[in-house]
Amino acid sequence: MAVEIQPLLKPSRLRRRAGLLGECIAEFLGTFVLISFGCGVVAMTVAALPGSGRTEGPTTFFLSAGDWLLITWGWAMAVILGIYVAGGVSGAHINPAVTLAFAVRRKFPWVKVVPYWVSQVLGALAGAALVLGVYHDAIDTFDAAMKGPKTGGHTLASFSIFATFPAPYFHGGIWGPLIDQVVGTAFLVMLVVAIIDLRNTAVKANLGPLVIGFVVAAIGMSYGANAGYAINPARDFGPRLLTWFAGWKDLAFSGSLSGAFSAYWWIPIVGPLVGGVIGVLVYDLFIGDVLHARAQEGELPEPGRTRPTTSDED
């Protein structure tokens, strides 16, 4: 804005926020926004819309595969908004997998990794708490109307508002969901670094967050059903921690449902961390190194060419 905006805090307190503290606060708020809108859209789909009389019944949701689009586009917009909020201060990682990948291959200071992770998890926890506070009546009504197995009066469907779990066709196996999380996060980080790489066809005019949101939507549409496409350790762990305190108990930790899956809680953490590093390494091996080699030649060719354009070729 052209008009100078006066700070809310005294200058002496503001100086403390100029460095890492300010970045951590931005990561907290960005992740808070991400989860508030991301888990919020799932709460709308699973509990609020059925309970409001806007579907065929009080427990009716996902009548068709097309309904999944509400979730995927909701999470896409959540990512866009979170990045726009925090991007100018911290770079808006809002994802521990991104932070780790940037430390490995983008010279992000290792000393900042853990503070960023803590801020992201706390932001996710706070966002989930907001969603639970706003939608607790709808969630309680939904759980009461649902039949089937319940943990502390809660159902797996209401747990899905906050955290992820594997599809039944994995039969409780570990490797399928783990590979799913590795692949999904590898695509996420690979495409994020491609979008922001100024040596490549980088997005202009501050539209990077919008395109990154499209990436998240694409991952949800293509790889979402296997395990809920957490692709972000903070996105799953923070809300999962809240649900444990709020009464979902074993569904949260250790992430178990009798006859379906057990000790699942670590997979949406380890899988994305591994996948994020793989994603940035794949991009640098196949694309980044080529761009670097061409830059060393002094003049970059047009995209698709192997050498610079000469006047005779124009």
Side-chain angles (χ1 to χ4, degrees), residues 166-242:
Y169 45 72
F170 289 118
H171 304 292
I174 291 175
W175 289 107
L178 182 61
I179 292 172
D180 170 81
Q181 287 300 291
V182 170
V183 170
T185 315
F187 273 125
L188 172 67
V189 174
M190 180 182 72
L191 293 168
V192 165
V193 295
I195 290 165
I196 66 175
D197 191 346
L198 296 178
R199 303 169 301 172
N200 206 332
T201 53
V203 177
K204 307 296 183 183
N206 202 26
L207 292 178
L210 179 65
V211 180
I212 292 172
F214 292 161
V215 169
V216 173
I219 294 170
M221 293 175 193
S222 299
Y223 294 96
N226 276 340
Y229 76 111
I231 58 175
N232 180 338
R235 171 264 173 276
D236 190 87
F237 184 73
R240 185 180 293 271
L241 189 61
L242 175 78

Side-chain angles (χ1 to χ4, degrees), residues 44-89:
M44 274 282 292
T45 304
V46 171
L49 285 174
S52 68
R54 292 177 173 85
T55 61
E56 290 186 359
T59 60
T60 302
F61 62 98
F62 284 157
L63 285 173
S64 66
D67 294 336
W68 183 248
L69 293 176
L70 178 60
I71 300 292
T72 55
W73 283 116
W75 274 107
M77 288 185 281
V79 169
I80 293 167
L81 297 175
I83 296 175
Y84 274 125
V85 164
V89 176

